[in-house]
Amino acid sequence: MTGAEMMQRFVTVIDDHDWEGLARLLHEDFRCHLVHTGEMFGKEEWVRFNADYPGFERMVLEDCVSEGERAVGRASVTGTSDGRPQRFAVASFVTLRDGLIVDLTEVWTDVGLEAPAGTRLA
């Protein structure tokens, strides 16, 4: 499986809420780093983190670039919190080993934020 094929499969199993399928895509040496919070997860902890995440509904791959055993994908994620819709964007960087994801780095942000005052040219 190419990096691009793995990225599509990765997003599809998350969108399907297929947590057993997600675990099957991850190498035993898997590590995930969430840049925005500094958290690190192993395989079982990261699958559980996703399965237990409150309000998650959908994940859609918007773009993917890959070369060899590396790929980066940009996805949109939707969910709800306290009955209100939430939208996020995530960039996921994966490295494969033995046809499985061994390394994942993700950068998340809310969608619809306004630029801080005074940071843009008039």
Side-chain angles (χ1 to χ4, degrees):
M1 187 177 305
T2 67
E5 291 167 336
M6 178 58 86
M7 182 62 72
Q8 183 60 61
R9 184 74 188 126
F10 170 76
V11 171
T12 297
V13 298
I14 292 173
D15 185 56
D16 289 345
H17 299 217
D18 178 4
W19 311 123
E20 290 177 13
L22 178 59
R24 287 191 299 271
L25 297 179
L26 307 179
H27 195 278
E28 287 305 312
D29 295 334
F30 173 84
R31 290 290 174 256
C32 173
H33 176 219
L34 300 182
V35 172
H36 58 292
T37 62
E39 294 170 283
M40 297 288 288
F41 296 90
K43 178 178 177 174
E44 292 176 15
E45 296 84 11
W46 194 75
V47 171
R48 186 173 48 247
F49 172 79
N50 280 274
D52 294 345
Y53 201 87
F56 168 70
E57 293 173 357
R58 298 285 324 267
M59 183 175 198
V60 177
L61 187 63
E62 302 287 342
D63 193 10
C64 179
V65 177
S66 76
E67 183 174 329
E69 294 190 329
R70 301 218 40 192
V72 60
R74 178 179 54 83
S76 51
V77 178
T78 55
T80 58
S81 178
D82 296 325
R84 293 189 204 143
Q86 291 187 309
R87 293 178 50 222
F88 303 96
V90 60
S92 301
F93 300 80
V94 301
T95 301
L96 305 181
R97 184 191 310 154
D98 304 324
L100 299 171
I101 300 171
V102 70
D103 186 65
L104 170 66
T105 300
E106 290 193 324
V107 183
W108 286 80
T109 188
D110 294 335
V111 172
L113 300 176
E114 293 186 28
T119 63
R120 305 296 187 263
L121 297 175

